[in-house]
Amino acid sequence: MLLKSNGDVISSDVEYAKSMFKQAKGLMFRRSVPDSYAMVFIFSSLKKISLHMLFVPFPLDVLFLNEDKRIVKTTTLRPWIGITDSGEKIRYVIELPSGTISSNELKVGDDLMFDEP
């Protein structure tokens, strides 16, 4: 489960991408994800990350988090052609259905809570 620090549930259906293969594949080749979905990328160390939407046919909201699970950047990526980078070294990336950032009023500086498998 993915929660805001105040206890509000952001996503109840969380998938973790820890392996290099899962991180490289991400959400490519899927047709959609449920409204309650989140994919959490966990990196073994702090690093700058680039993301692309090649073979992802639906828009995504993306959160970049530091080692304290605090949001340092938010963005929305367009299907097929979206591309972005973290801008700074981060430890986590969370991909969410488009609209999740605004509907949950997520912003830079917010703390998130989730278990690490």
Side-chain angles (χ1 to χ4, degrees), residues 73-91:
K73 180 179 177 180
T74 68
T75 192
T76 299
L77 295 176
R78 294 176 27 198
W80 297 101
I81 60 171
I83 190 165
T84 191
D85 65 68
S86 60
E88 62 184 82
K89 291 183 178 182
I90 51 99
R91 176 85 195 282

Side-chain angles (χ1 to χ4, degrees), residues 5-22:
S5 59
N6 66 3
D8 288 348
V9 175
I10 298 167
S11 299
S12 57
D13 181 9
V14 179
E15 181 178 354
Y16 294 92
K18 287 184 73 174
S19 72
M20 189 177 295
F21 175 76
K22 288 262 304 187

Side-chain angles (χ1 to χ4, degrees), residues 56-71:
V56 181
F58 49 91
L60 291 173
D61 283 353
V62 180
L63 305 173
F64 295 92
L65 284 65
N66 65 15
E67 65 277 6
D68 298 323
K69 298 182 181 175
R70 179 167 294 129
I71 299 171

Side-chain angles (χ1 to χ4, degrees), residues 8 10 13 16-17 20 22 28 36 41 49 51 53-54 56-57 60 67 78 82-83 90 96 100-102 104 112-113:
D8 288 348
I10 298 167
D13 181 9
Y16 294 92
M20 189 177 295
K22 288 262 304 187
M28 290 191 308
S36 62
F41 294 74
I49 300 297
L51 298 176
M53 294 291 285
L54 189 62
V56 181
L60 291 173
E67 65 277 6
R78 294 176 27 198
I83 190 165
I90 51 99
L96 304 155
T100 304
I101 289 174
S102 62
N104 288 279
L112 300 182
M113 297 182 294

